[in-house]
Amino acid sequence: MIDLTRRYRFAAAHRLHSRSLTAEENARIYGKCNNPYGHGHNYILDVTVAGPVDAATGMVFDVAKLDLVVRQSVLEPLDHAHLNLDVDRFQNLTPTTENLCMEIYGILSANLTHEPGKAFLKRVRLEETSSNYFEYEG
Amino acid sequence: MIDLTRRYRFAAAHRLHSRSLTAEENARIYGKCNNPYGHGHNYILDVTVAGPVDAATGMVFDVAKLDLVVRQSVLEPLDHAHLNLDVDRFQNLTPTTENLCMEIYGILSANLTHEPGKAFLKRVRLEETSSNYFEYEG
Amino acid sequence: MIDLTRRYRFAAAHRLHSRSLTAEENARIYGKCNNPYGHGHNYILDVTVAGPVDAATGMVFDVAKLDLVVRQSVLEPLDHAHLNLDVDRFQNLTPTTENLCMEIYGILSANLTHEPGKAFLKRVRLEETSSNYFEYEG
Amino acid sequence: MIDLTRRYRFAAAHRLHSRSLTAEENARIYGKCNNPYGHGHNYILDVTVAGPVDAATGMVFDVAKLDLVVRQSVLEPLDHAHLNLDVDRFQNLTPTTENLCMEIYGILSANLTHEPGKAFLKRVRLEETSSNYFEYEG
Amino acid sequence: MIDLTRRYRFAAAHRLHSRSLTAEENARIYGKCNNPYGHGHNYILDVTVAGPVDAATGMVFDVAKLDLVVRQSVLEPLDHAHLNLDVDRFQNLTPTTENLCMEIYGILSANLTHEPGKAFLKRVRLEETSSNYFEYEG
Amino acid sequence: MIDLTRRYRFAAAHRLHSRSLTAEENARIYGKCNNPYGHGHNYILDVTVAGPVDAATGMVFDVAKLDLVVRQSVLEPLDHAHLNLDVDRFQNLTPTTENLCMEIYGILSANLTHEPGKAFLKRVRLEETSSNYFEYEG
């Protein structure tokens, strides 16, 4: 088993605000991130797949296929979007980086079919700023 | 003369849209950056001051003073803001990174008094993504 | 379960010298790091906490609280210090980065109370130079 | 147990071409990487050893010894080489980064004797470009 | 006047060997870089254009146009190539990074028409490894 | 004319304290950097030479010669040293990074003979932390 990690980037805006909290709680918990108009980040997304190396090709996963799946299912809907306003999933879910990381894992997990004996989705790592990143393994 | 460059970071949302262009022109020129709800970036701001080294302290500029000026005049109004909606200056000016870079230079130039024989503001460098940065020297 | 990693930085001096070794052994084992007056590093400290995401806030851990604990218990005593001379713990323990990494883990572990069903300290990673880093999970 | 990771760099050329595939398959699967004359990379190699900290020295592994082993067994044969043409092992094995990563693990595993109660080779991480890296743990 | 710098990447192999030097001189001057089969690098190319900001768009240069020119005239012929064997210009010119940097400047200068009052090519910066880069301003 | 910049690294300790200032002034101006025992940094040193490209070799400067000069005259005396205590020049000069940067420029300028029509020392850049760097051109 070997791991391949591939890096992608997207830029998006979000506002941290939870419907299940009062205005005061939102302001206290999220601070400047609760600013009504939102703010934004350059997210760095690292996708890790793990599996055996194919004897004929010497590769663990078809990188072109991985790029296609990530681009169509993650980058196109999220890049240059306002997460709260442009993305259905975040109408009722606060787009913290935790929730965004788990949502991306779920999308990729559904779109990267796991054939027996082949590589599978192992981990999603989402970096919000150079001081902060999140990792989710399902 | 020696140059000191100090790095700061802030996160903000913006929408590229010019009032002097038609909707079609805006869409064609700015592409995904014209998305109505905006998107965002982690900006990296490098401020360079240049001057002689003070014989007593061995320093070219008081870093604590530089940090205070940058924090009060630039980071507090811009960090976690939506540039088009939260910042007066960008009500009538498209917040491209070019315009943002020159605006920050103007603010710092007005707030860093240049005493004769002392260091002065030399350059502002603003990085929008890891593929793109702008430099302005007035 | 999701992991959050947050990055901190501090600068310190140290000298690698063990009281249980002879002068010759110290010189041979630690090389230039045994220089009597010490030398220094910009350490990069990554603290990882792991836990479930809170349904109300969408967050795994209160980042402001984490920053406060790390600042008070780790950065204030270590930043701009000479580890051998300014820090009690290293009066009798050689401040190799291995020992420093485990010491920071111990401090954080004692200061980040682990409430059931909440996030806990998972790992400390300490980078000494761009060629060298250490990880400790308790 | 604590982990030490140390970073090394080397530059090499390679061509992705498998003898067990037809010319058409090689072209389709490897794309530009199948270019007859080869192309090259600056590889970044991170070697991780794990073990207990020695009570006398405060160290997990003798870094000078690790450097010597990596330099003699990995960097000297691979740096500034054409992997397909200069390295015996890749006469009959396609030098994908997967295969190169596992080959380096095997070489280091054979050259870093594991004494009981001491540190052992835990992981090799090989970065091909800033978008791609591989990890192998044996 | 404001500067915009945009970053591109490509991977290529090269061999340092000069026809105007003897075999001994080639070996002495270029060292391991004279290896007959060549070796390779991940080059990082930073292209800087300088000019006034357009009042209507707030932009100094059309980034999509810059990307198109760089991709067609530089990245397509050089990426995943062996510089000595695949690129005509280096049949009779040693592909040191100095020569490659000046060659890319010449290509971009010829392909980025400089209209009066508009932005022009200011500088090309080519990074060979994380320890080495070259800059050329014509 | 083309510029070559080469990167070196060293680790050292220093204490900011000026003999021409009172204890109170030293404490106020240098803050934590005035700590009696000193603290330390991983300095990153970028040396830039500029000149024409040699027609025979395609190189602007002999990199092996540059490495030798930098290693012997700068890295050996400074690496793993306490600047105030181990380095003569800083017995009477506060080792701020400004003064260190200018001192290194002076040392390199004296050791890199400038032959007519050949490359010369253009700039020294010294990075103290990831937030701070200094540049000196003589």
Side-chain angles (χ1 to χ4, degrees), chain C residues 65-136:
Chain C
K65 181 182 161 194
L66 182 60
D67 286 356
L68 184 71
V69 168
V70 174
R71 194 169 58 242
Q72 289 183 340
S73 66
V74 175
L75 302 184
E76 288 182 3
L78 298 183
D79 189 31
H80 285 71
H82 189 301
L83 299 178
N84 308 56
L85 302 173
D86 286 316
V87 182
D88 283 354
R89 184 68 183 92
F90 295 113
Q91 302 298 314
N92 297 297
L93 182 68
T94 312
T96 56
T97 308
E98 285 92 329
N99 281 336
L100 183 56
C101 182
M102 292 191 297
E103 177 67 12
I104 291 172
Y105 182 92
I107 292 170
L108 289 178
S109 187
N111 284 279
L112 290 168
T113 344
H114 179 200
E115 300 165 50
K118 303 280 185 174
F120 59 92
L121 178 65
K122 181 176 178 183
R123 184 173 57 241
V124 164
R125 177 189 186 278
L126 189 60
E127 185 176 317
E128 188 187 44
T129 70
S130 62
S131 299
N132 252 12
Y133 68 84
F134 297 86
E135 288 174 300
Y136 187 62

